Amino acid sequence: MAVKVRVPATTANLGPGFDSLGMALQLYNEIELELIDQGLQFEVTGVGADMIPATSENVIYKAVQCVFDQLGRRRPGLRLRLHNAVPVTRGLGSSAAAIVGGLVAANEVCHRPLSSDHLLELAVRMEGHPDNVAAALLGGIVVSGRVGGKTRHVKLPVPRDLVCVVVVPEVPLPTKESRKVLPGSVPFEDAVHNVNRVALLLGALATGDLELVGAAMEDVLHEPYRMSLIPGMSRAAEAGRESGALGVVLSGSGPTLIAFCREGTESPVGPAIARAWSEAGLKASWMVLRPDLRGVTVTGVPHLEPMGPPAR
Ligand code: HSE
């Protein structure tokens, strides 16, 4: 039995919503999984293939085994194929894509014994925070958090004319490193500032006020600290806003910047941010991406009829 899944890139935080907000983007990794008698055969192609281990250390492999452990089934041999499009360790949810893709593919080969909520719990346990994995699993913009030992989540409306520009520096920045610079505590007024901006952001999403979505994206809890790891970040974000973006924030833990634009105004934004970064000595490339609304999908069973999306 073999399956194919397609899993989106994600951007976490959306500015002030640290570890709470995430959005899926129309950029996809494709994973094929087939159960074999024993061992691991793994083929990796695509962006950053040389950075992705094709061994039992691979996160997709671990996620697949996690499902078999959860079901109390013997760990099988695996044939895995990954075609990777999501840049690795750049703040676009590459590890969340690996976790969610592996969990959903394994659940599918086992005929979907685990619910979407159960898969989300496993994904959060593997990733450590819910924002990227919830968006990769469910698609769209998702607010999520742990409440009373359970992961709660709500899908929020995605403004119709929202287009994003992601500007990806050449240099990787692992989330682990980017979390190390965060302080143990913050001033009360900074906490109040972020509470206010998240509240405004949720209100703006609920009413489809795209201008306010951008204006509400001011963060003081993580970006000021992470800036020290990313040369020229502040100036690059400013250049993006000057060129017409409604808001420019760090994508997840960075170093990628994501600019939120009204459809039709996005063309000058990527070049402006990349130019400002190159003046600070950092090479970067950009992509224009729309929000993904579906999350992970099972795109087919190789050589058999296509199947529907996983149980929700
Ligand atoms: N919320 C997480 C962080 C996202 O900012 O560290 C990591 O991708």
Side-chain angles (χ1 to χ4, degrees):
M1 168 84 178
V3 295
K4 247 176 154 172
V5 303
R6 190 183 81 152
V7 58
T10 47
T11 184
N13 303 329
L14 307 190
F18 184 76
D19 278 0
S20 305
L21 287 170
M23 180 172 77
L25 296 165
Q26 289 184 5
L27 177 70
Y28 303 98
N29 286 352
E30 286 181 344
I31 298 168
E32 280 185 41
L33 167 68
E34 193 179 344
L35 303 186
I36 54 175
D37 282 343
Q38 56 181 354
L40 171 64
Q41 299 170 18
F42 205 154
E43 186 187 308
V44 182
T45 53
V47 173
D50 53 331
M51 297 173 75
I52 301 170
T55 65
S56 56
E57 285 308 297
N58 186 282
V59 180
I60 300 173
Y61 175 84
K62 289 184 182 172
V64 171
Q65 302 301 8
C66 169
V67 168
F68 281 84
D69 290 350
Q70 192 67 24
L71 297 173
R73 287 179 55 174
R74 185 182 70 83
R75 292 182 166 204
L78 303 181
R79 182 175 294 139
L80 272 166
R81 270 197 207 102
L82 164 66
H83 185 71
N84 197 69
V86 180
V88 181
T89 56
R90 299 298 201 283
L92 286 166
S94 55
S95 76
I99 292 169
V100 168
L103 292 175
V104 169
N107 195 42
E108 199 65 28
V109 287
C110 296
H111 306 290
R112 306 186 203 177
L114 304 180
S115 67
S116 180
D117 281 355
H118 197 149
L119 293 174
L120 180 59
E121 293 298 349
L122 296 179
V124 173
R125 202 189 301 160
M126 287 187 74
E127 175 89 326
H129 46 88
D131 42 1
N132 291 97
V133 289
L137 187 68
L138 302 167
I141 299 178
V142 185
V143 56
S144 58
R146 302 275 300 160
V147 183
K150 271 185 67 180
T151 303
R152 305 296 303 264
H153 58 83
V154 178
K155 269 186 89 162
L156 300 163
V158 179
R160 200 182 281 260
D161 45 355
L162 171 64
V163 175
C164 299
V165 181
V166 296
V167 189
V168 187
E170 254 185 1
V171 197
L173 176 56
T175 296
K176 216 167 137 193
E177 299 304 313
S178 191
R179 286 179 90 91
K180 271 190 202 156
V181 298
L182 301 178
S185 58
V186 295
F188 186 73
E189 63 267 29
D190 287 357
V192 171
H193 175 100
N194 265 52
V195 168
N196 177 262
R197 293 303 184 269
V198 171
L200 281 173
L201 183 52
L202 297 182
L205 288 169
T207 55
D209 183 343
L210 194 50
E211 190 279 325
L212 184 56
V213 167
M217 283 184 163
E218 274 180 355
D219 163 80
V220 293
L221 287 190
H222 68 107
E223 289 193 354
Y225 305 97
R226 288 173 159 170
M227 226 173 248
S228 64
L229 300 173
I230 308 166
M233 176 189 138
S234 171
R235 175 64 205 119
E238 197 180 293
R241 286 187 282 266
E242 284 165 5
S243 68
L246 299 165
V248 183
V249 293
L250 209 53
S251 180
S253 56
T256 293
L257 282 172
I258 181 162
F260 292 77
C261 305
R262 192 179 295 282
E263 175 130 47
T265 67
E266 68 275 12
S267 330
V269 174
I273 295 177
R275 200 175 316 115
W277 248 338
S278 88
E279 281 160 17
L282 206 61
K283 267 199 193 152
S285 56
W286 69 89
M287 288 179 265
V288 175
L289 299 174
R290 283 171 173 72
D292 161 276
L293 303 182
R294 295 183 65 188
V296 65
T297 48
V298 178
T299 53
V301 176
H303 317 302
L304 296 174
E305 288 298 304
M307 295 175 74
R312 290 266 150 87

